[in-house]
Amino acid sequence: MYGSSPEPLSGTQAGTALHTSRYRVSGMDCGSCAAKIETALRRVPGVREVRVSVPAGTVAVSHDDTLGADAVVRPLAALGYGATPADPVADGPDAACGGGCCGTEAHSHSHGDADEASWWRGRKARLTVAAGAALAAATVLGLLVPATEPWAFPLALMVGLVPVARSALAAARAGTPFSIEMLMTVAAVGALLIGAVEEAATVLVLFLIGELLEGVAAGRARAGIRGLTALVPDTALLEQDGAAPQAVPATGLAVGSVILVRPGDRVAADGIVLSGRSAVDESPVTGESVPKPKSEGDAVFAGTINADGALRVRVTAAARDNTIARIVRLVEEAQASKAPTERLIDRFARFYTPGIVGVAALVALVPPLAFDGGWTEWIYRALAVLLIGCPCALVISTPAAIAAGLSNGARRGLLLKGGAVLEALGRITTVAFDKTGTLTEGRPRVTDLIPFGGSEAELLADAAALEAGSSHPLARAILAAAAERGIAPPAAGEVTALPGAGLNGRVAGREVALLSPQAAASALRPAQAEQAGAFAEAGKTVSVLLVDGIAAGLIAMRDEPRPDAHSGIAALDRAGIRSLMVTGDNARTAGAVAGALGMTAHAELLPEDKLRIVRSLQADGQRVAKVGDGINDAPALAAANVGIAMGGGTDVALETADAAILHGRVGDVAAMVALSRRTMANIRQNIALALGLKAVFLLTTVLGVTGLWPAILADTGATVLVTANALRLLSVRP
């Protein structure tokens, strides 16, 4: 299904086998693009089904054997999009762009430049700058030499209008007559006909800027998804025939191969440990904040990081089927499952624009032909109707409210990727939180010091001495606790790591070891072991300090909830929104944190498990927001109605998500919901203002009560009113 070569589907239709071909499309960055592409391809002979994924930038076409080799590429090129066959194995950060990023020179609507790193040098950016510069030049020239206005502004308008009109005509020929480009073309031409050229040129420039920014955002999101593959190293150390391990491409590893993973290396493939003991950082896959001990028989995942011991691993999955590859597929499939949502103005234009044009035609023709009315008088009224029908106020009203809402959020560290996210956030009924780095701070802290003879300071000093220079998360927690208490650790010598157990060394002439409770079990008295077990039940990681073989104390650590986690969950509850935890962490730790916050916990989950829970909630009629900060959250972030990345999260989480909380405050989720509800109420007010004024003046114009200039004032007045109303959102505070 994912290859570009035809693959038979299960079943036939009328005796003809169906195949699926997949293409990567450059320049597709919005629901309007998807609608045009789907409509155009459905008209191609031999095509039975079209599935468009805007977030992934792909089109999957189910077709029979009669489909020509370039039958898909040609109609897309005519619309201004580039298309190349997509290879799921080769599609990495470079291959994914393929030839599709070259786009096509056919029409200006191609936003292919947004898919490239140098988008500001692309064709769309150049058109936007040219149109803006032409408008600025016309304005200055008109002020300095008023006699130039009659031709300066029309020329400035043509700079942007001609390419947009060409795209509109191409879309009309492909079966979408009332596209967003057609809407802008009708608006600009209507304004030009009645002399409101300045307004037409300004609205067109704003439209081009919006299209450019939308394309840039879409390109960044796609790059973030494809960047997942960078977690897997390019090479692996392959053992063959008893010879020294040789570096080979990781993509060529076969199932059953044996590789060597050195300390500090990323694991190159999913596999089973054959020999060796180490701790492996699985946070890219499971979100577990503490590295997991690994020994013979344990599973390891591609993209995870080996910490302190060498491992020999037998490969159990080829590159296309490893953990990271599955996450990439889950992300793209989850995003593709969201039906592309057409912009509100595009939906309305299906009826509004042709309806107003039809009314204007009737006003111009019916009275002179049927009732002997004067042609000049009724053409004048028709032009006034056409101006009233110019959707400039509508085109500006919704983006103005969205821009004000987004600006308000950005100043507070709340980033939302567009108006669709704002609308969806206000309807959320359930929020699924990751634990590590989302509800918690993402790093362990020392919570308890239990000395068995000396003082807490002595216990912490000896532990910090052994951990000095280590980058292990637990070591950093101990060193941070010592620094907070002003404790300067003494020097330690002969420090040795004990894979899977801890470490030991000499401090002030004594033999000192910092071990796990399991490794130190023989040195613990029953009461001491019971205390360590109680900490473990509370979801804490426990280290035992031994001095000359005798237990000297316990150090308990845990990734603690963020300071505002409890109040943030309470704010959601007051808004009528349910909260739950979905995490890859162990059940005891997750249960302890969730219990303190008053929420349900689902623990020990892999990315596909989180995705399953999100989809199950959606199947029950819930509108789900997923909040997370790691790559392991990416599939669920993509599948949720709204995906929210927590501040400090990975680039992939930030790019895959629909929104981001930069300051890492749990309470900002409730603030996002409140901002969404206010913004959507403002948008509804704007639409009512714009349409209400137009309806009144449409009636008075047809009746002859008002003429061309009142119509101009009505259109301009609607624009001013909706803009002023939208700007109120800039001052809204939680």
Side-chain angles (χ1 to χ4, degrees):
M1 177 175 177
Y2 292 97
S4 59
S5 300
E7 301 175 15
L9 293 174
S10 58
T12 60
Q13 185 167 336
T16 302
L18 293 182
H19 311 275
T20 296
S21 298
R22 188 168 178 260
Y23 297 83
R24 198 164 290 282
V25 180
S26 65
M28 177 177 62
D29 52 36
C30 64
S32 176
C33 297
K36 285 186 290 186
I37 288 172
E38 183 173 351
T39 300
L41 293 183
R42 287 187 183 279
R43 295 159 65 99
V44 175
V47 170
R48 303 298 176 83
E49 184 181 359
V50 180
R51 295 183 298 278
V52 183
S53 173
V54 174
T58 59
V59 173
V61 180
S62 296
H63 57 88
D64 58 30
D65 295 324
T66 64
L67 189 73
D70 62 345
V72 171
V73 175
R74 278 188 288 104
L76 295 186
L79 288 172
Y81 302 100
T84 55
D87 181 352
V89 178
D91 275 356
D94 299 322
C97 189
C101 290
C102 299
T104 174
E105 298 294 332
H107 302 287
S108 71
H109 184 71
S110 175
H111 323 302
D113 36 34
D115 293 333
E116 304 176 36
S118 56
W119 58 266
W120 59 88
R121 294 199 298 263
R123 192 169 55 255
K124 188 66 175 179
R126 291 197 301 270
L127 175 61
T128 303
V129 171
L135 177 61
T139 302
V140 172
L141 191 60
L143 291 173
L144 296 178
V145 187
T148 62
E149 282 192 8
W151 56 266
F153 280 102
L155 286 179
L157 175 63
M158 291 301 114
V159 172
L161 179 58
V162 170
V164 171
R166 292 174 64 193
S167 285
L169 292 174
R173 288 195 296 268
T176 308
F178 295 110
S179 62
I180 192 77
E181 290 79 16
M182 184 64 76
L183 183 63
M184 285 306 307
T185 301
V186 171
V189 171
L192 178 63
L193 290 176
I194 52 80
V197 189
E198 299 92 333
E199 184 181 11
T202 302
V203 170
L204 189 63
V205 169
L206 292 176
F207 167 74
L208 292 175
I209 291 173
E211 291 288 288
L212 176 63
L213 294 178
E214 190 174 58
V216 172
R220 285 177 57 84
R222 291 167 194 156
I225 296 169
R226 297 168 195 161
L228 286 166
T229 57
L231 287 173
V232 181
D234 295 331
T235 61
L237 293 176
L238 179 65
E239 294 184 357
Q240 285 182 309
D241 303 324
Q246 298 292 319
V248 299
T251 54
L253 291 174
V255 175
S257 301
V258 177
I259 58 175
L260 175 66
V261 185
R262 300 169 301 188
D265 285 352
R266 284 190 181 271
V267 180
D270 287 2
I272 299 294
V273 176
L274 294 179
S275 62
R277 292 170 60 88
S278 184
V280 175
D281 179 4
E282 293 187 343
S283 56
V285 177
T286 67
E288 177 70 59
S289 56
V290 177
K292 271 192 175 180
K294 297 290 182 180
S295 58
E296 183 178 345
D298 290 334
V300 291
F301 303 110
T304 56
I305 305 169
N306 186 24
D308 51 20
L311 297 174
R312 293 178 65 247
V313 176
R314 176 168 53 81
V315 176
T316 58
R320 73 174 64 202
D321 298 318
N322 66 31
T323 303
I324 297 299
R326 292 202 311 273
I327 292 176
V328 171
R329 285 199 295 270
L330 284 170
V331 171
E332 293 202 345
E333 289 169 7
Q335 290 184 323
S337 70
K338 293 179 180 178
T341 304
E342 294 175 304
R343 284 177 273 190
L344 175 63
I345 196 65
D346 222 11
R347 292 199 301 267
F348 190 76
R350 291 180 178 177
F351 308 99
Y352 181 81
T353 302
I356 290 295
V357 171
V359 170
L362 291 175
V363 169
L365 297 175
V366 172
L369 294 177
F371 305 104
D372 294 324
W375 283 100
T376 301
E377 176 189 356
W378 287 101
I379 288 177
Y380 177 88
R381 293 188 186 184
L383 289 176
V385 169
L386 192 60
L387 177 60
I388 293 169
C390 174
C392 297
L394 280 175
V395 169
I396 290 174
S397 63
T398 300
I402 289 171
L406 296 181
S407 297
N408 182 300
R411 290 205 304 265
R412 293 153 53 190
L414 312 177
L415 300 186
L416 300 97
K417 298 180 180 178
V421 179
L422 277 171
E423 183 177 357
L425 267 169
R427 298 197 301 266
I428 290 300
T429 59
T430 301
V431 178
F433 288 93
D434 181 39
K435 181 186 79 70
T436 306
T438 301
L439 289 170
T440 67
E441 295 182 351
R443 58 183 183 275
R445 289 180 174 271
V446 172
T447 59
D448 301 272
L449 293 168
I450 309 296
F452 293 150
S455 66
E456 291 185 359
E458 291 171 338
L459 173 63
L460 195 54
D462 285 340
L466 291 180
E467 298 285 19
S470 174
S471 60
H472 191 285
L474 297 181
R476 290 198 297 267
I478 290 172
L479 293 170
E484 288 171 3
R485 290 167 172 79
I487 297 172
E494 303 176 20
V495 177
T496 304
L498 307 173
L503 70 167
N504 62 12
R506 298 192 67 81
V507 179
R510 300 165 298 157
E511 189 75 25
V512 179
L514 193 63
L515 305 175
S516 67
Q518 293 78 13
S522 61
L524 291 173
R525 296 174 182 173
Q528 296 168 345
E530 184 178 346
Q531 178 69 72
F535 284 141
E537 285 296 327
K540 300 180 180 181
T541 299
V542 184
S543 292
V544 182
L545 185 78
L546 303 183
V547 178
D548 293 328
I550 299 173
L554 303 177
I555 300 176
M557 291 158 281
R558 187 171 70 181
D559 184 11
E560 291 289 274
R562 294 180 183 270
D564 76 325
H566 191 277
S567 61
I569 299 302
L572 287 172
D573 184 62
R574 289 193 299 272
I577 298 173
R578 170 193 174 203
S579 300
L580 57 89
M581 177 192 295
V582 289
T583 178
D585 226 334
N586 65 76
R588 285 192 303 191
T589 300
V593 174
L597 298 177
M599 61 197 308
T600 304
H602 301 267
E604 301 180 7
L605 305 175
L606 289 173
E608 50 263 43
D609 300 320
K610 296 181 181 181
L611 176 61
R612 174 181 49 79
I613 289 173
V614 167
R615 285 182 168 162
S616 175
L617 290 168
Q618 290 171 326
D620 290 338
Q622 300 291 310
R623 293 182 179 274
V624 183
K626 172 67 175 70
V627 187
D629 74 324
I631 291 167
N632 59 294
D633 296 303
L637 285 171
N641 297 89
V642 178
I644 303 173
M646 185 63 81
T650 63
D651 288 342
V652 171
L654 292 172
E655 296 298 347
T656 303
D658 302 301
I661 296 172
L662 298 188
H663 298 316
R665 294 188 290 254
V666 177
D668 281 350
V669 177
M672 273 188 173
V673 172
L675 179 62
S676 163
R677 292 175 178 177
R678 291 191 186 100
T679 303
M680 293 313 301
N682 189 280
I683 288 173
R684 289 190 291 270
Q685 293 164 6
N686 284 348
I687 293 173
L689 280 171
L691 293 180
L693 279 175
K694 289 180 181 296
V696 169
F697 279 89
L698 175 62
L699 179 62
T700 57
T701 299
V702 171
L703 295 176
V705 177
T706 56
L708 194 60
W709 285 108
I712 293 174
L713 293 177
D715 186 68
T716 305
T719 302
V720 171
L721 284 175
V722 298
T723 302
N725 189 48
L727 291 178
R728 293 190 306 112
L729 289 169
L730 291 174
S731 60
V732 170
R733 290 291 180 270

